[in-house]
Amino acid sequence: MKTFVMIPTYNESENIGNLIDEILKLKIKDLHIAVVDDNSPDGTWKIVQDISKKNKNVHLLLRKVNKGRGAAGRDGFIYCMKHDAGIVVEMDADMSHNPKYIPKMIGELKNADLVLGSRRIEGGKETGRSLLRRFVTWGANLYIKVLLGIKVNDCNSGFRCFRRKVLEAINLERLESKGPAIVQEILFKAHLKGFRIKEIPITFVNRTKGHSKLGIPQLAAGYFMVLKLRIEHLLGRI
Ligand SMILES: Nc1nc2c(ncn2[C@@H]2O[C@H](COP(=O)(O)OP(=O)(O)OP(=O)(O)O)[C@@H](O)[C@H]2O)c(=O)[nH]1
Ligand SMILES: [Mg+2]
């Protein structure tokens, strides 16, 4: 069974080459990297395409329609499952998630089904972010915890390591989040199915290259999506 690192990208040309190098340097057995790019105008996909020509363990999913962090994540997970992934690590491309934590996250799967890189447990922290940006994440985290009742400290972490059975149990085709709320949708569905979720402390470092894709519209859509998940659960639909 392969281990896949699945990375959604949009305009990350300044980060993606370095990130792929860092991951490959970990020398993890049977490791594959799947980059899910939405036809980035800055040519991120071209950089990955060139790397994948030299290294068959690097895969490019170039998406031209139905863009968005949510659909990219869904398609990325489906791709990894179709390519015999036993373990899938999900991470951002902007170096906020340091690849050095990947071996430990994989190791923790012996006691869990889903391992999160967490800023909100002892030893975890985030650096380089403005007070406002930290308040936004803190507020969103509290809202998610209260509304969805998930017993996790960092519900916003997009740095996660899944056993295949978790992704098999979540009907990936039916994931409905278009934007970043895909992170909470998957976490909530894994929680509802009773999978063992474990957090390990990470230092989340604010991006130094490229630009954030998280604007007010994405944030508002995220808040709405979390409310929708709650209502769907109350109605017994999920
Ligand atoms: N394929 C795809 N990837 C996306 C899209 N939006 C964001 N991403 C990627 O998803 C990851 C997280 O996006 P970020 O913009 O870093 O979101 P964030 O971490 O909340 O915001 P920052 O504070 O800027 O880092 C990054 O790797 C992005 O390139 C999208 O629409 N399509
Ligand atoms: Mg980021």
Side-chain angles (χ1 to χ4, degrees):
M1 278 268 184
K2 300 178 184 127
T3 296
F4 264 88
V5 178
M6 192 278 289
I7 311 168
T9 57
Y10 194 68
N11 287 345
E12 301 286 359
S13 61
E14 298 170 276
N15 291 311
I16 197 62
N18 179 29
L19 178 62
I20 291 174
D21 280 354
E22 295 280 320
I23 296 169
L24 294 175
K25 271 193 214 138
L26 296 169
K27 302 237 174 294
I28 295 169
K29 188 171 156 300
D30 217 1
L31 182 100
H32 290 249
I33 298 173
V35 175
V36 189
D37 188 78
D38 282 3
N39 204 19
S40 296
D42 76 348
T44 302
W45 58 273
K46 185 78 180 62
I47 296 168
V48 180
Q49 196 175 61
D50 293 345
I51 296 170
S52 70
K53 283 187 186 131
K54 295 183 226 108
N55 184 333
K56 63 174 182 31
N57 285 27
V58 175
H59 310 243
L60 170 66
L61 276 74
L62 181 52
R63 298 168 7 99
K64 298 198 173 165
V65 289
N66 183 18
K67 297 188 175 181
R69 167 71 181 81
R74 181 201 60 212
D75 290 357
F77 283 124
I78 291 171
Y79 181 91
C80 295
M81 300 297 279
K82 284 199 178 122
H83 289 76
D84 200 27
I87 291 171
V88 181
V89 176
E90 175 191 25
M91 67 188 304
D92 292 349
D94 58 2
M95 302 309 280
S96 288
H97 299 150
N98 190 318
K100 73 179 181 187
Y101 296 112
I102 294 174
K104 178 148 174 47
M105 292 170 88
I106 293 171
E108 287 295 333
L109 283 180
K110 62 182 177 298
N111 319 313
D113 304 311
L114 168 53
V115 177
L116 308 180
S118 178
R119 297 159 275 204
R120 299 192 188 288
I121 57 170
E122 202 190 326
K125 63 176 187 278
E126 61 185 330
T127 64
R129 280 199 155 164
S130 67
L131 208 55
L132 173 62
R133 189 69 178 76
R134 291 173 65 180
F135 179 73
V136 167
T137 309
W138 175 84
N141 194 52
L142 187 62
Y143 171 80
I144 296 155
K145 281 171 72 80
V146 170
L147 224 63
L148 302 183
I150 303 174
K151 303 276 176 300
V152 161
N153 296 283
D154 190 349
C155 298
N156 289 308
S157 178
F159 195 12
R160 313 190 280 189
C161 185
F162 297 83
R163 280 179 178 280
R164 179 183 182 87
K165 66 177 181 181
V166 177
L167 298 170
E168 277 170 345
I170 295 172
N171 187 337
L172 294 170
E173 310 281 352
R174 293 205 33 214
L175 289 172
E176 47 186 311
S177 308
K178 296 275 173 292
I182 188 94
V183 168
Q184 288 77 34
E185 181 176 358
I186 291 175
L187 183 63
F188 186 44
K189 289 178 175 175
H191 161 77
L192 291 176
K193 293 192 181 293
F195 285 110
R196 299 167 299 163
I197 303 174
K198 189 164 189 325
E199 295 178 81
I200 67 157
I202 64 160
T203 298
F204 178 103
V205 181
N206 195 36
R207 66 166 63 238
T208 55
K209 296 187 178 130
H211 304 286
S212 176
K213 283 78 191 182
L214 187 78
I216 302 292
Q218 288 79 12
L219 208 55
Y223 273 82
F224 173 75
M225 188 62 209
V226 167
L227 180 60
K228 193 164 178 275
L229 289 169
R230 175 72 180 156
I231 294 168
E232 285 181 353
H233 181 53
L234 287 173
L235 297 173
R237 288 201 201 123
I238 55 175

